[in-house]
Amino acid sequence: MLLIHPAIQTIAILIALYAFWMGSKRALAVHFHKKAVFPWKRHIWTGRIAFSLLLIGFFVGMAMVRIHWGNNLMTLGHGKMALVTLPFIVAGFIMGEMLARKSPHRDKLRVVHGLNNLLVLILLFNQARLGIEVYRLFVAGL
Ligand code: HEM
Ligand code: HEM
């Protein structure tokens, strides 16, 4: 059971990386006038899957810690950093949905969306690092 959360988040992070790779092609084309094909629809659906899985995984992680240890936010900063990461995931999701609906403010919005999601990726790598530590110390010995 305690492996469900790390499994969901690992898959989500890999899909987010793929979405970012596609997004960076868009950024190259728009901002640096390089020739690059942006798979618009694939970026949108992979982005949606990645962010939805991350949100589901967040609550699964919370639930598992609550069920097994009777409390929350006791995982060496991993839980607290998850609370820091969460609003950026939600913001990236909302901006992505606005861009997918061809928002009139797209010029500024896509830059903020791209930079926000770069930050999300960095925070996710940090979560993975902290999460592996949590697994090693609290779960592997059970
Ligand atoms: C709900 C999920 C998502 C939706 C609906 C979405 C939608 C979009 C759309 C429509 C664009 C093109 C904007 C334009 O050129 O006018 C875009 C650009 C981009 N997206 Fe996403 N996206 C989502 C998630 C993600 C994720 C998970 C990442 C990476 C972790 C990401 C990174 C980027 C980047 C880097 C760009 C290029 C920004 C730029 O040109 O400056 N997106 N997104
Ligand atoms: C590969 C990446 C990750 C690994 C290996 C990992 C590992 C873990 C482990 C072992 C736990 C203890 C409970 C359990 O096993 O179900 C946990 C809890 C948790 N994780 Fe992760 N995690 C990862 C990514 C993430 C991400 C990306 C988020 C947030 C977006 C997150 C949020 C949480 C939360 C909120 C808890 C509950 C913490 C608490 O109440 O103290 N994790 N994680």
Side-chain angles (χ1 to χ4, degrees):
M1 283 289 270
L2 284 168
L3 277 171
I4 297 175
H5 162 79
I8 297 175
Q9 301 304 56
T10 302
I11 293 167
I13 292 170
L14 291 175
I15 300 174
L17 262 177
Y18 181 43
F20 188 80
W21 180 69
M22 285 183 266
S24 62
K25 286 189 168 189
R26 180 63 171 171
L28 274 182
V30 175
H31 311 294
F32 302 98
H33 311 291
K34 295 259 173 1
K35 265 206 179 131
V37 181
F38 176 56
W40 181 279
K41 284 198 176 143
R42 201 188 308 160
H43 174 76
I44 291 175
W45 70 257
T46 47
R48 280 181 184 148
I49 293 174
F51 279 173
S52 303
L53 281 179
L54 284 169
L55 295 176
I56 294 168
F58 175 93
F59 292 107
V60 172
M62 280 273 178
M64 287 305 157
V65 170
R66 173 60 54 123
I67 291 167
H68 284 270
W69 294 285
N71 207 343
N72 275 114
L73 303 183
M74 36 143 316
T75 48
L76 307 167
H78 179 73
K80 287 183 190 120
M81 277 312 288
L83 290 180
V84 173
T85 310
L86 193 66
F88 292 101
I89 295 174
V90 173
F93 206 140
I94 293 171
M95 285 187 274
E97 291 304 335
M98 289 166 76
L99 287 166
R101 281 164 189 72
K102 310 219 179 223
S103 152
H105 308 292
R106 59 183 324 102
D107 283 355
K108 279 185 200 139
L109 195 59
R110 71 174 145 222
V111 179
V112 183
H113 170 78
L115 290 177
N116 177 83
N117 290 349
L118 175 62
L119 177 64
V120 168
L121 267 191
I122 294 168
L123 290 168
L124 291 180
F125 289 140
N126 190 47
Q127 280 305 95
R129 184 180 66 80
L130 293 168
I132 291 166
E133 198 65 5
V134 173
Y135 186 85
R136 238 171 32 82
L137 288 172
F138 294 122
V139 182
L142 286 183

